Amino acid sequence: MIQIKWYARGGQGGFTACRLMALAAVKHSGSYVQAFPSFGPERRGAPVFGFTRIDERPIRDHSQIYDYDYAVVIDQTLLESQDVMSGLKEGGTVFVNSTRTPEELGLTGGKVVTFDADTISLEILKAKISNTAMMAVAALYSGVADRKGMEDACRELLPERIVKKNLEIIERVCGEIGEVRA
């Protein structure tokens, strides 16, 4: 079973990215999935967490994820208050939306991939809504989903008015990092 923990702030689309990843995995390989949020104070800007489980067999565990294979950090300022490495399994990877290197962020104890999703989001959406870009980065590096699976998930899950721009984001991420398989 693959377990992913998502770190975002309210209003950044963290739970949407969590659900997109799950649906993309279904579209890619027919996996069984779960996607669920964990909210603290329900206000814009407050830390929020999401969880995605992906497996070849039905998933019976419905508890919060404490030990994860991957973590996706949509807002790097959360690194100041969240220890994203503490639940990372051996051999796991943390994906951080940042222009800084893992060393500059001070993240040790596991593999860390940084990617500047904000620039892509600003160029395409005219806003720092980097959830789809970070979902694509994590999907490609982990092998959980391919470009077609992500695109199909966007078409199915997102409101029609934002699908085209999110498909542009996926295209751009795929162009920058390619079809990576970890």
Side-chain angles (χ1 to χ4, degrees):
M1 178 181 316
I2 296 170
Q3 300 190 108
I4 305 165
K5 185 170 182 179
W6 300 80
Y7 294 83
R9 293 192 181 279
Q12 292 180 323
F15 182 50
T16 298
C18 175
R19 293 173 54 215
L20 278 171
M21 176 73 91
L23 187 55
V26 169
K27 300 290 184 182
H28 174 66
S29 63
S31 301
Y32 291 90
V33 298
Q34 286 180 350
F36 55 98
S38 174
F39 298 103
E42 293 188 33
R43 69 179 197 283
R44 187 172 204 76
V48 296
F49 309 97
F51 305 94
T52 306
R53 285 192 175 100
I54 303 165
D55 203 351
E56 296 173 354
R57 296 173 293 158
I59 302 168
R60 308 232 185 276
D61 184 356
H62 296 281
S63 64
Q64 183 170 313
I65 295 171
Y66 297 99
D67 299 310
Y68 37 88
D69 302 284
Y70 302 101
V72 183
V73 182
I74 294 173
D75 185 333
Q76 76 172 358
T77 65
L78 287 168
L79 297 174
E80 298 166 12
S81 62
Q82 304 296 317
D83 183 1
V84 301
M85 305 305 278
S86 68
L88 188 65
K89 293 178 185 175
E90 187 174 324
T93 304
V94 175
F95 304 98
V96 182
N97 175 17
S98 180
T99 58
R100 297 168 64 193
T101 67
E103 295 77 22
E104 290 172 326
L105 293 172
L107 296 174
T108 59
K111 183 177 179 185
V112 178
V113 173
T114 58
F115 186 85
D116 182 10
D118 284 346
T119 296
I120 292 172
S121 300
L122 280 169
E123 289 174 8
I124 295 172
L125 300 174
K126 310 298 183 226
K128 282 187 181 182
I129 304 174
S130 305
N131 59 336
T132 300
M134 288 307 295
M135 181 275 305
V137 169
L140 292 171
Y141 272 97
S142 67
V144 164
D146 61 4
R147 180 176 173 171
K148 183 177 181 335
M150 291 185 284
E151 290 172 344
D152 289 347
C154 282
R155 288 184 189 99
E156 185 172 322
L157 185 66
L158 299 177
E160 188 175 331
R161 63 182 168 71
I162 62 171
V163 168
K164 183 178 177 185
K165 290 191 181 281
N166 279 273
L167 294 177
E168 283 181 56
I169 289 170
I170 291 169
E171 178 180 3
R172 177 84 173 272
V173 170
C174 289
E176 287 196 22
I177 65 174
E179 293 283 334
V180 177
R181 293 290 183 248

